Amino acid sequence: MEKYMFIFKGGDYESLKLSPDEIQQNMQKWYKWIQDLTKQDIYVDGEPLEKGGKIVTKNGSKIVVTDGPFPEAKELVGGYFIINAKDYNHAAEIAKQCPGFEYGGAVEIRKVMKM
Amino acid sequence: MNPAASEKQEYQSFIDNLFRRESGKITSVLTKIFGVKNIELVEDVVQDTLLKALQQWPYSGIPENPAAWLYQSSKNRAIDLLRQSNLKEKYSSEISVLFKSEWSLSHSMNEFFSENEIKDGQLRMIFTCCHPDLPGETQVALALKHLCGFSVKEISKAFLTNEETIAKRLTRAKIKLNSWTIAFEIPTGKEAERRLANVLSTLYLLFNEGYNSSGNKLIRDELMREAIYLTGLITEHPVTAKPEAHALLSLMLFHAARTPARLDEHGSIKLLEEQDRTLWDKMMINQAVYHLELSAAGDKVSEYHLEAGIANEIRKLPEQDKLNNYYLYHSVIGELYLKNNQPEEAKINFTKALQLTESEAEKKLLNRKLNMI
């Protein structure tokens, strides 16, 4: 088993004006998904990410801190998982169960470097 | 208990429609603070809170007291908003005087979310949404939106109409309510009786939307449940717990209790004598009888009293074989259906009663009723 990172992108829940019931249903799906993956020893770690943020870059000779990024809704990273999977195919199969697809989300999968 | 079983239990015991129910409560409390004019701001706070829960709970686990978590998050957001001095003047004047210091702000905020304050807020919201100068359908839509946490889409599904119609209805209502500078309160004095009568009438309308609907079963049950819940709030508050409110609640519970037995496999209505009584919801019937007894206080008899009384008599009538040849039974049932805007069932029952009676007077009366349908 190898470690992979799921990067959850998109799914602009705010603009969709979901009803309380829809939000609860989706929340329960996410909760159940993490519970199930935990039981299977697939889920290792994960966190949701707050909106907003800072960007630190070098501009000429100076290092600059600005607010950002402010990406398009579909590029917005909402959170991540670290999971155990056999290979990319296996990881992708797992990712197919993501409840985020219902509301326009996507999953980017990256293998964590073995060191 | 092994870990897997206890976790499964925790997941399944998570209450159905919790977010909907709590969003209604939070909306009511925050409208007390920010005023009816700022209801959109209030809706944003509630939305933010629920979305926070959506993001966090899958990772952190569902809190042991989910409602308390939602209240805390809303309180924090509300405090943030109140600290922004440029908004302070816009809020309801009776509230702003409480927020004089940092300490009193958090303390006051906690007070607002106490159980009694929440119920008080919900009642104020009921009277505001069910305002007699708004069309009945609009009142129902407002109640579903602000008290019951339904979205425009969900309301339109419940009314079997399109979203645009409901959205327009709500927008027109908002404009009217704003222009009236309506006070967010439970009416007292001379107005109280008229306002309560209107609220009860609207809640009955909401109930019947569910009871008489030809739509999806789940939605029908939900609408009846919401009507029962809101009428229950009315019966719990000392100012509004009038006999007619108890009578209305009783009658709703009697009707709702019979729902599991009311339709056959094809979705057609079964006559009362055809219904399998074992399917009637016993708990609801007990509650119905309880509220019927409470409605007997005082000397006023409302239309709800009559209907609830009839519903109770029917429940008490002897079993099937004795019933079928009892013309009075069919007369009474017919009346009940007539009152409930169910003319087809009324016709069937009056016709049966006509066949069973020998009395000329009774026959005349029944024929007259049949001709009127």
Side-chain angles (χ1 to χ4, degrees), chain A residues 18-22 24 26-28 30-31 34-35 46-49 81, chain B residues 7 10 14-15 17-19 23 47 54-55 58-59 149 151 153-154:
Chain A
L18 300 177
S19 73
D21 224 26
E22 287 167 331
Q24 181 175 340
N26 197 246
M27 183 278 293
Q28 284 170 192
W30 276 95
Y31 174 78
I34 294 181
Q35 293 292 304
E47 307 266 22
L49 296 174
F81 285 359
Chain B
E7 165 256 298
E10 174 206 320
F14 193 67
I15 304 158
N17 307 133
L18 181 130
F19 277 26
S23 87
Q47 190 77 347
L54 163 59
Q55 275 199 291
Y59 297 92
S151 65
K153 183 163 82 172
E154 288 163 353

PDB file of all heavy atoms in Angstrom, chain A residues 18-22 24 26-28 30-31 34-35 46-49 81, chain B residues 7 10 14-15 17-19 23 47 54-55 58-59 149 151 153-154:
ATOM      1  N   LEU A  18     -28.100  25.809  -1.490  1.00  0.00           N
ATOM      2  CA  LEU A  18     -28.683  24.531  -1.105  1.00  0.00           C
ATOM      3  C   LEU A  18     -29.606  24.709   0.087  1.00  0.00           C
ATOM      4  O   LEU A  18     -29.404  25.582   0.918  1.00  0.00           O
ATOM      5  CB  LEU A  18     -27.566  23.545  -0.735  1.00  0.00           C
ATOM      6  CG  LEU A  18     -26.574  23.240  -1.849  1.00  0.00           C
ATOM      7  CD1 LEU A  18     -25.488  22.319  -1.328  1.00  0.00           C
ATOM      8  CD2 LEU A  18     -27.279  22.600  -3.034  1.00  0.00           C
ATOM      9  N   SER A  19     -30.602  23.864   0.169  1.00  0.00           N
ATOM     10  CA  SER A  19     -31.513  23.929   1.304  1.00  0.00           C
ATOM     11  C   SER A  19     -30.861  23.232   2.494  1.00  0.00           C
ATOM     12  O   SER A  19     -29.935  22.437   2.320  1.00  0.00           O
ATOM     13  CB  SER A  19     -32.818  23.227   0.958  1.00  0.00           C
ATOM     14  OG  SER A  19     -32.611  21.824   0.941  1.00  0.00           O
ATOM     15  N   PRO A  20     -31.326  23.529   3.721  1.00  0.00           N
ATOM     16  CA  PRO A  20     -30.773  22.861   4.899  1.00  0.00           C
ATOM     17  C   PRO A  20     -30.786  21.334   4.747  1.00  0.00           C
ATOM     18  O   PRO A  20     -29.818  20.663   5.119  1.00  0.00           O
ATOM     19  CB  PRO A  20     -31.715  23.300   6.023  1.00  0.00           C
ATOM     20  CG  PRO A  20     -32.177  24.649   5.600  1.00  0.00           C
ATOM     21  CD  PRO A  20     -32.293  24.572   4.109  1.00  0.00           C
ATOM     22  N   ASP A  21     -31.853  20.821   4.170  1.00  0.00           N
ATOM     23  CA  ASP A  21     -31.947  19.381   3.988  1.00  0.00           C
ATOM     24  C   ASP A  21     -30.871  18.854   3.045  1.00  0.00           C
ATOM     25  O   ASP A  21     -30.242  17.829   3.317  1.00  0.00           O
ATOM     26  CB  ASP A  21     -33.331  19.045   3.409  1.00  0.00           C
ATOM     27  CG  ASP A  21     -33.936  17.852   4.094  1.00  0.00           C
ATOM     28  OD1 ASP A  21     -33.582  17.604   5.277  1.00  0.00           O
ATOM     29  OD2 ASP A  21     -34.745  17.154   3.459  1.00  0.00           O
ATOM     30  N   GLU A  22     -30.655  19.575   1.942  1.00  0.00           N
ATOM     31  CA  GLU A  22     -29.644  19.156   0.967  1.00  0.00           C
ATOM     32  C   GLU A  22     -28.263  19.196   1.597  1.00  0.00           C
ATOM     33  O   GLU A  22     -27.433  18.308   1.388  1.00  0.00           O
ATOM     34  CB  GLU A  22     -29.697  20.047  -0.282  1.00  0.00           C
ATOM     35  CG  GLU A  22     -30.918  19.755  -1.161  1.00  0.00           C
ATOM     36  CD  GLU A  22     -31.166  20.824  -2.213  1.00  0.00           C
ATOM     37  OE1 GLU A  22     -30.806  21.992  -1.966  1.00  0.00           O
ATOM     38  OE2 GLU A  22     -31.736  20.487  -3.250  1.00  0.00           O
ATOM     39  N   GLN A  24     -27.556  18.862   4.778  1.00  0.00           N
ATOM     40  CA  GLN A  24     -27.449  17.757   5.742  1.00  0.00           C
ATOM     41  C   GLN A  24     -27.206  16.433   5.029  1.00  0.00           C
ATOM     42  O   GLN A  24     -26.373  15.634   5.472  1.00  0.00           O
ATOM     43  CB  GLN A  24     -28.728  17.669   6.580  1.00  0.00           C
ATOM     44  CG  GLN A  24     -28.664  16.549   7.609  1.00  0.00           C
ATOM     45  CD  GLN A  24     -29.862  16.514   8.530  1.00  0.00           C
ATOM     46  OE1 GLN A  24     -30.585  17.496   8.674  1.00  0.00           O
ATOM     47  NE2 GLN A  24     -30.080  15.385   9.184  1.00  0.00           N
ATOM     48  N   ASN A  26     -25.781  15.896   2.170  1.00  0.00           N
ATOM     49  CA  ASN A  26     -24.425  15.848   1.641  1.00  0.00           C
ATOM     50  C   ASN A  26     -23.410  15.649   2.756  1.00  0.00           C
ATOM     51  O   ASN A  26     -22.459  14.871   2.620  1.00  0.00           O
ATOM     52  CB  ASN A  26     -24.131  17.119   0.836  1.00  0.00           C
ATOM     53  CG  ASN A  26     -22.921  16.960  -0.067  1.00  0.00           C
ATOM     54  OD1 ASN A  26     -21.894  17.599   0.119  1.00  0.00           O
ATOM     55  ND2 ASN A  26     -23.022  16.088  -1.049  1.00  0.00           N
ATOM     56  N   MET A  27     -23.633  16.344   3.872  1.00  0.00           N
ATOM     57  CA  MET A  27     -22.745  16.217   5.026  1.00  0.00           C
ATOM     58  C   MET A  27     -22.708  14.773   5.506  1.00  0.00           C
ATOM     59  O   MET A  27     -21.657  14.225   5.787  1.00  0.00           O
ATOM     60  CB  MET A  27     -23.236  17.127   6.158  1.00  0.00           C
ATOM     61  CG  MET A  27     -22.371  17.155   7.415  1.00  0.00           C
ATOM     62  SD  MET A  27     -22.642  15.802   8.564  1.00  0.00           S
ATOM     63  CE  MET A  27     -24.303  16.197   9.114  1.00  0.00           C
ATOM     64  N   GLN A  28     -23.887  14.132   5.573  1.00  0.00           N
ATOM     65  CA  GLN A  28     -23.964  12.742   6.033  1.00  0.00           C
ATOM     66  C   GLN A  28     -23.229  11.803   5.084  1.00  0.00           C
ATOM     67  O   GLN A  28     -22.631  10.819   5.519  1.00  0.00           O
ATOM     68  CB  GLN A  28     -25.434  12.330   6.222  1.00  0.00           C
ATOM     69  CG  GLN A  28     -26.034  12.912   7.489  1.00  0.00           C
ATOM     70  CD  GLN A  28     -27.550  12.741   7.608  1.00  0.00           C
ATOM     71  OE1 GLN A  28     -28.183  13.344   8.452  1.00  0.00           O
ATOM     72  NE2 GLN A  28     -28.134  11.916   6.786  1.00  0.00           N
ATOM     73  N   TRP A  30     -20.576  12.579   3.193  1.00  0.00           N
ATOM     74  CA  TRP A  30     -19.142  12.774   3.429  1.00  0.00           C
ATOM     75  C   TRP A  30     -18.730  12.056   4.708  1.00  0.00           C
ATOM     76  O   TRP A  30     -17.715  11.368   4.761  1.00  0.00           O
ATOM     77  CB  TRP A  30     -18.812  14.261   3.569  1.00  0.00           C
ATOM     78  CG  TRP A  30     -18.596  14.978   2.289  1.00  0.00           C
ATOM     79  CD1 TRP A  30     -19.514  15.702   1.579  1.00  0.00           C
ATOM     80  CD2 TRP A  30     -17.374  15.063   1.534  1.00  0.00           C
ATOM     81  NE1 TRP A  30     -18.948  16.220   0.443  1.00  0.00           N
ATOM     82  CE2 TRP A  30     -17.631  15.849   0.395  1.00  0.00           C
ATOM     83  CE3 TRP A  30     -16.086  14.552   1.714  1.00  0.00           C
ATOM     84  CZ2 TRP A  30     -16.662  16.135  -0.557  1.00  0.00           C
ATOM     85  CZ3 TRP A  30     -15.109  14.834   0.764  1.00  0.00           C
ATOM     86  CH2 TRP A  30     -15.398  15.632  -0.366  1.00  0.00           C
ATOM     87  N   TYR A  31     -19.533  12.230   5.743  1.00  0.00           N
ATOM     88  CA  TYR A  31     -19.234  11.617   7.039  1.00  0.00           C
ATOM     89  C   TYR A  31     -19.150  10.103   6.901  1.00  0.00           C
ATOM     90  O   TYR A  31     -18.200   9.464   7.350  1.00  0.00           O
ATOM     91  CB  TYR A  31     -20.308  12.000   8.061  1.00  0.00           C
ATOM     92  CG  TYR A  31     -20.171  11.311   9.393  1.00  0.00           C
ATOM     93  CD1 TYR A  31     -19.223  11.738  10.329  1.00  0.00           C
ATOM     94  CD2 TYR A  31     -20.959  10.203   9.717  1.00  0.00           C
ATOM     95  CE1 TYR A  31     -19.085  11.091  11.543  1.00  0.00           C
ATOM     96  CE2 TYR A  31     -20.821   9.558  10.921  1.00  0.00           C
ATOM     97  CZ  TYR A  31     -19.882  10.004  11.840  1.00  0.00           C
ATOM     98  OH  TYR A  31     -19.745   9.347  13.022  1.00  0.00           O
ATOM     99  N   ILE A  34     -15.930   8.936   4.989  1.00  0.00           N
ATOM    100  CA  ILE A  34     -14.734   8.905   5.819  1.00  0.00           C
ATOM    101  C   ILE A  34     -14.801   7.744   6.811  1.00  0.00           C
ATOM    102  O   ILE A  34     -13.805   7.045   7.029  1.00  0.00           O
ATOM    103  CB  ILE A  34     -14.525  10.250   6.560  1.00  0.00           C
ATOM    104  CG1 ILE A  34     -14.218  11.354   5.544  1.00  0.00           C
ATOM    105  CG2 ILE A  34     -13.416  10.136   7.596  1.00  0.00           C
ATOM    106  CD1 ILE A  34     -13.969  12.725   6.156  1.00  0.00           C
ATOM    107  N   GLN A  35     -15.992   7.518   7.389  1.00  0.00           N
ATOM    108  CA  GLN A  35     -16.144   6.393   8.321  1.00  0.00           C
ATOM    109  C   GLN A  35     -15.822   5.059   7.624  1.00  0.00           C
ATOM    110  O   GLN A  35     -15.095   4.224   8.155  1.00  0.00           O
ATOM    111  CB  GLN A  35     -17.574   6.333   8.872  1.00  0.00           C
ATOM    112  CG  GLN A  35     -17.967   7.494   9.766  1.00  0.00           C
ATOM    113  CD  GLN A  35     -17.218   7.475  11.074  1.00  0.00           C
ATOM    114  OE1 GLN A  35     -17.257   6.493  11.800  1.00  0.00           O
ATOM    115  NE2 GLN A  35     -16.526   8.548  11.386  1.00  0.00           N
ATOM    116  N   GLY A  46      -6.922  13.826   7.058  1.00  0.00           N
ATOM    117  CA  GLY A  46      -7.613  14.772   6.187  1.00  0.00           C
ATOM    118  C   GLY A  46      -8.068  15.972   6.984  1.00  0.00           C
ATOM    119  O   GLY A  46      -8.205  15.904   8.205  1.00  0.00           O
ATOM    120  N   GLU A  47      -8.243  17.071   6.278  1.00  0.00           N
ATOM    121  CA  GLU A  47      -8.728  18.300   6.924  1.00  0.00           C
ATOM    122  C   GLU A  47      -9.504  19.122   5.898  1.00  0.00           C
ATOM    123  O   GLU A  47      -9.172  19.109   4.712  1.00  0.00           O
ATOM    124  CB  GLU A  47      -7.559  19.181   7.400  1.00  0.00           C
ATOM    125  CG  GLU A  47      -6.537  18.499   8.264  1.00  0.00           C
ATOM    126  CD  GLU A  47      -6.818  18.670   9.739  1.00  0.00           C
ATOM    127  OE1 GLU A  47      -7.975  18.937  10.106  1.00  0.00           O
ATOM    128  OE2 GLU A  47      -5.879  18.521  10.533  1.00  0.00           O
ATOM    129  N   PRO A  48     -10.507  19.881   6.365  1.00  0.00           N
ATOM    130  CA  PRO A  48     -11.136  20.859   5.472  1.00  0.00           C
ATOM    131  C   PRO A  48     -10.300  22.131   5.519  1.00  0.00           C
ATOM    132  O   PRO A  48      -9.616  22.383   6.509  1.00  0.00           O
ATOM    133  CB  PRO A  48     -12.504  21.082   6.103  1.00  0.00           C
ATOM    134  CG  PRO A  48     -12.312  20.798   7.549  1.00  0.00           C
ATOM    135  CD  PRO A  48     -11.171  19.852   7.681  1.00  0.00           C
ATOM    136  N   LEU A  49     -10.356  22.919   4.465  1.00  0.00           N
ATOM    137  CA  LEU A  49      -9.575  24.159   4.420  1.00  0.00           C
ATOM    138  C   LEU A  49     -10.494  25.370   4.393  1.00  0.00           C
ATOM    139  O   LEU A  49     -11.524  25.364   3.706  1.00  0.00           O
ATOM    140  CB  LEU A  49      -8.673  24.172   3.177  1.00  0.00           C
ATOM    141  CG  LEU A  49      -7.596  23.087   3.152  1.00  0.00           C
ATOM    142  CD1 LEU A  49      -6.874  23.110   1.812  1.00  0.00           C
ATOM    143  CD2 LEU A  49      -6.590  23.276   4.288  1.00  0.00           C
ATOM    144  N   PHE A  81      -7.463  14.629   1.638  1.00  0.00           N
ATOM    145  CA  PHE A  81      -7.310  13.371   2.370  1.00  0.00           C
ATOM    146  C   PHE A  81      -5.900  12.857   2.109  1.00  0.00           C
ATOM    147  O   PHE A  81      -5.351  13.093   1.036  1.00  0.00           O
ATOM    148  CB  PHE A  81      -8.236  12.260   1.831  1.00  0.00           C
ATOM    149  CG  PHE A  81      -9.700  12.356   2.191  1.00  0.00           C
ATOM    150  CD1 PHE A  81     -10.223  13.364   2.970  1.00  0.00           C
ATOM    151  CD2 PHE A  81     -10.570  11.376   1.714  1.00  0.00           C
ATOM    152  CE1 PHE A  81     -11.581  13.410   3.258  1.00  0.00           C
ATOM    153  CE2 PHE A  81     -11.926  11.409   2.000  1.00  0.00           C
ATOM    154  CZ  PHE A  81     -12.434  12.420   2.774  1.00  0.00           C
TER     155      PHE A  81
ATOM    156  N   GLU B   7     -20.695   2.887  16.384  1.00  0.00           N
ATOM    157  CA  GLU B   7     -20.573   3.978  15.408  1.00  0.00           C
ATOM    158  C   GLU B   7     -21.765   3.977  14.471  1.00  0.00           C
ATOM    159  O   GLU B   7     -22.295   5.018  14.095  1.00  0.00           O
ATOM    160  CB  GLU B   7     -19.243   3.820  14.661  1.00  0.00           C
ATOM    161  CG  GLU B   7     -19.156   4.645  13.397  1.00  0.00           C
ATOM    162  CD  GLU B   7     -19.341   3.806  12.152  1.00  0.00           C
ATOM    163  OE1 GLU B   7     -18.514   2.903  11.940  1.00  0.00           O
ATOM    164  OE2 GLU B   7     -20.298   4.037  11.400  1.00  0.00           O
ATOM    165  N   GLU B  10     -24.582   5.588  16.229  1.00  0.00           N
ATOM    166  CA  GLU B  10     -24.413   7.039  16.279  1.00  0.00           C
ATOM    167  C   GLU B  10     -24.845   7.649  14.952  1.00  0.00           C
ATOM    168  O   GLU B  10     -25.531   8.638  14.906  1.00  0.00           O
ATOM    169  CB  GLU B  10     -22.947   7.371  16.561  1.00  0.00           C
ATOM    170  CG  GLU B  10     -22.659   8.874  16.493  1.00  0.00           C
ATOM    171  CD  GLU B  10     -21.206   9.169  16.139  1.00  0.00           C
ATOM    172  OE1 GLU B  10     -20.327   8.447  16.653  1.00  0.00           O
ATOM    173  OE2 GLU B  10     -20.952  10.097  15.365  1.00  0.00           O
ATOM    174  N   PHE B  14     -28.705  10.035  14.103  1.00  0.00           N
ATOM    175  CA  PHE B  14     -28.664  11.432  13.692  1.00  0.00           C
ATOM    176  C   PHE B  14     -30.031  11.799  13.139  1.00  0.00           C
ATOM    177  O   PHE B  14     -30.530  11.154  12.229  1.00  0.00           O
ATOM    178  CB  PHE B  14     -27.582  11.627  12.648  1.00  0.00           C
ATOM    179  CG  PHE B  14     -27.279  13.072  12.407  1.00  0.00           C
ATOM    180  CD1 PHE B  14     -26.694  13.835  13.393  1.00  0.00           C
ATOM    181  CD2 PHE B  14     -27.609  13.663  11.206  1.00  0.00           C
ATOM    182  CE1 PHE B  14     -26.424  15.175  13.180  1.00  0.00           C
ATOM    183  CE2 PHE B  14     -27.344  15.001  10.987  1.00  0.00           C
ATOM    184  CZ  PHE B  14     -26.753  15.761  11.972  1.00  0.00           C
ATOM    185  N   ILE B  15     -30.597  12.841  13.719  1.00  0.00           N
ATOM    186  CA  ILE B  15     -32.002  13.090  13.490  1.00  0.00           C
ATOM    187  C   ILE B  15     -32.313  13.525  12.068  1.00  0.00           C
ATOM    188  O   ILE B  15     -31.654  14.385  11.509  1.00  0.00           O
ATOM    189  CB  ILE B  15     -32.493  14.174  14.471  1.00  0.00           C
ATOM    190  CG1 ILE B  15     -32.181  13.733  15.899  1.00  0.00           C
ATOM    191  CG2 ILE B  15     -33.977  14.406  14.333  1.00  0.00           C
ATOM    192  CD1 ILE B  15     -32.123  14.863  16.883  1.00  0.00           C
ATOM    193  N   ASN B  17     -33.924  15.522   9.232  1.00  0.00           N
ATOM    194  CA  ASN B  17     -34.331  16.918   9.108  1.00  0.00           C
ATOM    195  C   ASN B  17     -33.817  17.810  10.223  1.00  0.00           C
ATOM    196  O   ASN B  17     -34.396  18.866  10.492  1.00  0.00           O
ATOM    197  CB  ASN B  17     -35.861  17.059   9.054  1.00  0.00           C
ATOM    198  CG  ASN B  17     -36.466  16.194   7.982  1.00  0.00           C
ATOM    199  OD1 ASN B  17     -37.444  15.501   8.215  1.00  0.00           O
ATOM    200  ND2 ASN B  17     -35.861  16.216   6.808  1.00  0.00           N
ATOM    201  N   LEU B  18     -32.723  17.437  10.896  1.00  0.00           N
ATOM    202  CA  LEU B  18     -32.202  18.262  11.979  1.00  0.00           C
ATOM    203  C   LEU B  18     -31.815  19.644  11.474  1.00  0.00           C
ATOM    204  O   LEU B  18     -32.112  20.653  12.089  1.00  0.00           O
ATOM    205  CB  LEU B  18     -30.990  17.586  12.645  1.00  0.00           C
ATOM    206  CG  LEU B  18     -30.401  18.377  13.815  1.00  0.00           C
ATOM    207  CD1 LEU B  18     -30.237  17.482  15.027  1.00  0.00           C
ATOM    208  CD2 LEU B  18     -29.075  18.998  13.449  1.00  0.00           C
ATOM    209  N   PHE B  19     -31.120  19.675  10.338  1.00  0.00           N
ATOM    210  CA  PHE B  19     -30.681  20.968   9.808  1.00  0.00           C
ATOM    211  C   PHE B  19     -31.885  21.853   9.493  1.00  0.00           C
ATOM    212  O   PHE B  19     -31.885  23.053   9.747  1.00  0.00           O
ATOM    213  CB  PHE B  19     -29.828  20.776   8.544  1.00  0.00           C
ATOM    214  CG  PHE B  19     -28.382  20.459   8.815  1.00  0.00           C
ATOM    215  CD1 PHE B  19     -27.984  19.844   9.988  1.00  0.00           C
ATOM    216  CD2 PHE B  19     -27.406  20.790   7.883  1.00  0.00           C
ATOM    217  CE1 PHE B  19     -26.649  19.552  10.228  1.00  0.00           C
ATOM    218  CE2 PHE B  19     -26.063  20.500   8.109  1.00  0.00           C
ATOM    219  CZ  PHE B  19     -25.685  19.888   9.279  1.00  0.00           C
ATOM    220  N   SER B  23     -32.469  25.212  11.517  1.00  0.00           N
ATOM    221  CA  SER B  23     -32.327  26.446  10.738  1.00  0.00           C
ATOM    222  C   SER B  23     -33.531  27.340  10.981  1.00  0.00           C
ATOM    223  O   SER B  23     -33.404  28.563  11.062  1.00  0.00           O
ATOM    224  CB  SER B  23     -32.149  26.150   9.247  1.00  0.00           C
ATOM    225  OG  SER B  23     -33.389  26.031   8.595  1.00  0.00           O
ATOM    226  N   GLN B  47     -27.087  29.980   6.630  1.00  0.00           N
ATOM    227  CA  GLN B  47     -26.474  29.237   5.531  1.00  0.00           C
ATOM    228  C   GLN B  47     -24.990  28.983   5.815  1.00  0.00           C
ATOM    229  O   GLN B  47     -24.493  27.874   5.667  1.00  0.00           O
ATOM    230  CB  GLN B  47     -26.642  30.016   4.220  1.00  0.00           C
ATOM    231  CG  GLN B  47     -26.256  29.265   2.964  1.00  0.00           C
ATOM    232  CD  GLN B  47     -27.300  28.249   2.533  1.00  0.00           C
ATOM    233  OE1 GLN B  47     -28.192  27.932   3.286  1.00  0.00           O
ATOM    234  NE2 GLN B  47     -27.167  27.719   1.338  1.00  0.00           N
ATOM    235  N   LEU B  54     -21.178  21.235   7.301  1.00  0.00           N
ATOM    236  CA  LEU B  54     -20.955  20.321   6.169  1.00  0.00           C
ATOM    237  C   LEU B  54     -19.470  20.088   5.968  1.00  0.00           C
ATOM    238  O   LEU B  54     -19.014  18.973   5.754  1.00  0.00           O
ATOM    239  CB  LEU B  54     -21.582  20.913   4.899  1.00  0.00           C
ATOM    240  CG  LEU B  54     -21.150  20.372   3.535  1.00  0.00           C
ATOM    241  CD1 LEU B  54     -21.410  18.890   3.401  1.00  0.00           C
ATOM    242  CD2 LEU B  54     -21.872  21.105   2.418  1.00  0.00           C
ATOM    243  N   GLN B  55     -18.681  21.162   6.078  1.00  0.00           N
ATOM    244  CA  GLN B  55     -17.242  21.035   5.856  1.00  0.00           C
ATOM    245  C   GLN B  55     -16.544  20.316   6.989  1.00  0.00           C
ATOM    246  O   GLN B  55     -15.645  19.517   6.760  1.00  0.00           O
ATOM    247  CB  GLN B  55     -16.630  22.424   5.721  1.00  0.00           C
ATOM    248  CG  GLN B  55     -16.708  22.988   4.325  1.00  0.00           C
ATOM    249  CD  GLN B  55     -15.697  24.102   4.181  1.00  0.00           C
ATOM    250  OE1 GLN B  55     -15.853  25.154   4.787  1.00  0.00           O
ATOM    251  NE2 GLN B  55     -14.662  23.859   3.425  1.00  0.00           N
ATOM    252  N   PRO B  58     -17.738  15.912   8.803  1.00  0.00           N
ATOM    253  CA  PRO B  58     -17.206  14.650   8.272  1.00  0.00           C
ATOM    254  C   PRO B  58     -15.824  14.322   8.829  1.00  0.00           C
ATOM    255  O   PRO B  58     -15.496  13.164   9.036  1.00  0.00           O
ATOM    256  CB  PRO B  58     -17.142  14.895   6.762  1.00  0.00           C
ATOM    257  CG  PRO B  58     -18.213  15.904   6.513  1.00  0.00           C
ATOM    258  CD  PRO B  58     -18.176  16.806   7.705  1.00  0.00           C
ATOM    259  N   TYR B  59     -15.008  15.367   9.090  1.00  0.00           N
ATOM    260  CA  TYR B  59     -13.654  15.154   9.599  1.00  0.00           C
ATOM    261  C   TYR B  59     -13.623  15.061  11.123  1.00  0.00           C
ATOM    262  O   TYR B  59     -12.947  14.217  11.691  1.00  0.00           O
ATOM    263  CB  TYR B  59     -12.741  16.305   9.163  1.00  0.00           C
ATOM    264  CG  TYR B  59     -12.551  16.423   7.684  1.00  0.00           C
ATOM    265  CD1 TYR B  59     -13.380  17.229   6.907  1.00  0.00           C
ATOM    266  CD2 TYR B  59     -11.509  15.741   7.030  1.00  0.00           C
ATOM    267  CE1 TYR B  59     -13.190  17.339   5.537  1.00  0.00           C
ATOM    268  CE2 TYR B  59     -11.322  15.860   5.664  1.00  0.00           C
ATOM    269  CZ  TYR B  59     -12.157  16.667   4.925  1.00  0.00           C
ATOM    270  OH  TYR B  59     -11.983  16.785   3.573  1.00  0.00           O
ATOM    271  N   GLY B 149     -37.492  25.712   7.201  1.00  0.00           N
ATOM    272  CA  GLY B 149     -36.241  25.503   6.486  1.00  0.00           C
ATOM    273  C   GLY B 149     -36.385  24.886   5.110  1.00  0.00           C
ATOM    274  O   GLY B 149     -35.491  24.174   4.641  1.00  0.00           O
ATOM    275  N   SER B 151     -36.437  25.121   1.029  1.00  0.00           N
ATOM    276  CA  SER B 151     -35.938  26.010  -0.021  1.00  0.00           C
ATOM    277  C   SER B 151     -37.090  26.309  -0.978  1.00  0.00           C
ATOM    278  O   SER B 151     -38.136  25.659  -0.921  1.00  0.00           O
ATOM    279  CB  SER B 151     -34.813  25.344  -0.795  1.00  0.00           C
ATOM    280  OG  SER B 151     -35.311  24.210  -1.482  1.00  0.00           O
ATOM    281  N   LYS B 153     -37.188  25.634  -4.040  1.00  0.00           N
ATOM    282  CA  LYS B 153     -37.403  24.424  -4.841  1.00  0.00           C
ATOM    283  C   LYS B 153     -38.282  23.435  -4.083  1.00  0.00           C
ATOM    284  O   LYS B 153     -39.205  22.844  -4.637  1.00  0.00           O
ATOM    285  CB  LYS B 153     -36.043  23.795  -5.180  1.00  0.00           C
ATOM    286  CG  LYS B 153     -36.171  22.567  -6.083  1.00  0.00           C
ATOM    287  CD  LYS B 153     -34.841  22.208  -6.731  1.00  0.00           C
ATOM    288  CE  LYS B 153     -33.972  21.413  -5.807  1.00  0.00           C
ATOM    289  NZ  LYS B 153     -32.766  20.889  -6.479  1.00  0.00           N
ATOM    290  N   GLU B 154     -37.988  23.259  -2.817  1.00  0.00           N
ATOM    291  CA  GLU B 154     -38.748  22.293  -2.007  1.00  0.00           C
ATOM    292  C   GLU B 154     -40.183  22.750  -1.810  1.00  0.00           C
ATOM    293  O   GLU B 154     -41.109  21.940  -1.793  1.00  0.00           O
ATOM    294  CB  GLU B 154     -38.041  22.059  -0.664  1.00  0.00           C
ATOM    295  CG  GLU B 154     -36.749  21.245  -0.830  1.00  0.00           C
ATOM    296  CD  GLU B 154     -35.813  21.317   0.365  1.00  0.00           C
ATOM    297  OE1 GLU B 154     -36.077  22.096   1.293  1.00  0.00           O
ATOM    298  OE2 GLU B 154     -34.787  20.600   0.351  1.00  0.00           O
TER     299      GLU B 154
END
